[in-house]
Amino acid sequence: MAQSVGIKDVARVAGVSVGTVSNVINRPDTVASETRARVLSAIDRLGYVRSESARQLRAGRSRIMGLLVLDMGNPFFVDVARGAERAAREAGLGVMVCNSAQNAAEEAEYLSLFAEQRVRGVLLTPADATGRNIDAFRRHGIPFVLVDRVAEGTTECSVSVDDVTGGALAVRHLVDAGHRSLAYVSGPPGLNQVRDRRTGALNALAEAGLGRDALRELPTERLDVAAGRDAGARLLGLADRPTAVFCANDLLALGVLQAMYAAGVTVPDDLAIVGYDDIEFAAAAAVPLTSVRQPAVALGALAAGLLLEETEQGDGARTHEHRRVVLQPELVVRRSSLAAR
């Protein structure tokens, strides 16, 4: 196995001290041009690459930002990562993206990894409903920003979307179309987003003079297409099947749509469907999907911006104030909910 080339090797070949090589790398203007050329020639011949990680550890300042999301199989979180990566790159930083898979134990492992790597800071969409993982990570003193989650009862920054409003937009649209019996395919009940969207749905029903019994909830263990197909099968088995369904995200909605198609149930004539997130696949579905759009790229970019602001150092750095940014969702109406009742 080839040995790595170190700064001492460069100094030996160039006939200079280690300090001179360091100056050529970090402060080239302080080194005479002839000496600088000799050192650069040695670097080129040896193929020396400086250890960025070692330099960062010595300086106590990493150029890596951590991003831990619930599910990288969900295009919504891919867009969040795109926004965060764009903001980080403009600041000269990289992003280490990790996937908790909605699992609290995996989340804890990745947070430990971030602490070991001494990342600049972390963007986190929590999977652990108890908050224990966050409490444990907070002891490391590494700044973090909550993404797609309001920082309730904490002093950290957060960037989220008003999911109560989003749930109300979805169900208000269905009620306005004449539906009086609805289902909510909700996902894991421990997730704040799932609960907030349900609250919004119930608010819209109350506005229309309808009771809570107008909304039947079908919880799922995950927020993916397979879970949506399972919920669709349960929906088909109901004796008094609702005429419309609101799903906690688009992947669930696409699964429900698949189940209806396989059973010969026509969407939207027999069942109207509304999703949430407005991922790219929503518009491309066999029946284009009505969805509540979240500004995912902006969500990631804003969260990264808050983290960068908090971790700035030097005389020119602004005084950071923790704040909660709440973005507004938007209903995008497509064919899946447009049948006349």
Side-chain angles (χ1 to χ4, degrees):
M1 181 181 295
Q3 292 184 338
S4 61
V5 177
I7 193 171
K8 291 182 180 179
D9 299 307
V10 175
R12 176 176 51 79
V13 171
V16 298
S17 68
V18 170
T20 298
V21 176
S22 178
N23 285 337
V24 169
I25 295 171
N26 297 299
R27 296 177 295 278
D29 293 341
T30 66
V31 182
S33 59
E34 182 180 342
T35 303
R36 186 167 66 243
R38 194 161 71 248
V39 171
L40 292 174
S41 176
I43 288 173
D44 185 57
R45 292 207 314 272
L46 294 173
Y48 168 75
V49 177
R50 71 174 176 177
S51 174
E52 182 65 15
S53 60
R55 186 188 71 81
Q56 291 171 13
L57 288 176
R58 286 194 299 271
R61 189 155 169 79
S62 172
R63 292 181 59 245
I64 299 296
M65 176 188 299
L67 171 63
L68 182 54
V69 300
L70 289 177
D71 181 11
M72 280 305 292
N74 185 338
F76 167 76
F77 287 110
V78 175
D79 286 342
V80 169
R82 282 176 49 216
E85 188 273 337
R86 185 180 303 164
R89 188 175 65 246
E90 290 175 355
L93 304 183
V95 178
M96 180 191 299
V97 181
C98 297
N99 176 28
S100 71
Q102 303 175 41
N103 184 290
E106 292 190 31
E107 175 182 82
E109 291 179 6
Y110 279 124
L111 289 174
S112 293
L113 175 64
F114 289 152
E116 291 171 6
Q117 295 296 316
R118 303 186 193 180
V119 296
R120 175 77 64 92
V122 172
L123 305 177
L124 170 64
T125 303
D128 178 21
T130 69
R132 284 192 291 264
N133 286 343
I134 289 179
D135 290 340
F137 184 70
R138 191 179 283 115
R139 292 197 292 267
H140 296 289
I142 297 174
F144 65 90
V145 174
L146 298 181
V147 181
D148 197 30
R149 176 71 58 85
V150 177
E152 297 175 346
T154 72
T155 59
E156 284 77 27
C157 288
S158 66
V159 182
S160 61
V161 174
D162 187 343
D163 284 320
V164 174
T165 293
L169 285 173
V171 170
R172 191 178 296 125
H173 166 69
L174 292 170
V175 169
D176 288 346
H179 297 282
R180 295 296 180 268
S181 177
L182 294 82
Y184 176 43
V185 177
S186 61
L191 293 178
N192 286 8
Q193 297 93 325
V194 166
R195 295 197 299 268
D196 287 349
R197 292 165 197 178
R198 179 178 182 273
T199 296
L202 292 174
N203 289 347
L205 291 175
E207 290 172 5
L210 300 173
R212 299 169 71 92
D213 57 353
L215 185 72
R216 279 184 274 188
E217 186 168 358
L218 299 173
T220 64
E221 292 184 358
R222 301 188 62 80
L223 291 161
D224 55 24
V225 174
R229 285 195 297 267
D230 175 72
R234 284 184 280 152
L235 190 65
L236 289 167
L238 294 176
D240 184 18
R241 193 168 69 216
T243 61
V245 57
F246 166 45
C247 299
N249 77 356
D250 285 340
L251 296 182
L252 290 172
L254 291 172
V256 171
L257 179 61
Q258 289 179 7
M260 297 305 111
Y261 181 82
V265 175
T266 303
V267 175
D269 295 330
D270 297 325
L271 182 75
I273 301 176
V274 176
Y276 205 104
D277 290 339
D278 196 33
I279 62 176
E280 184 177 357
F281 300 125
V287 179
L289 186 66
T290 294
S291 184
V292 178
R293 176 178 294 166
Q294 298 200 82
V297 174
L299 195 74
L302 286 168
L306 288 175
L307 188 60
L308 289 167
E309 180 185 305
E310 183 173 357
T311 59
E312 283 178 354
Q313 296 179 359
D315 294 337
R318 290 182 292 169
T319 300
H320 176 77
E321 294 183 4
H322 291 303
R323 47 192 192 275
R324 301 174 183 177
V325 179
V326 180
L327 305 177
Q328 292 302 309
E330 172 190 1
L331 182 69
V332 180
V333 178
R334 300 190 181 96
R335 178 164 164 69
S336 72
S337 63
L338 283 179
R341 301 302 305 172

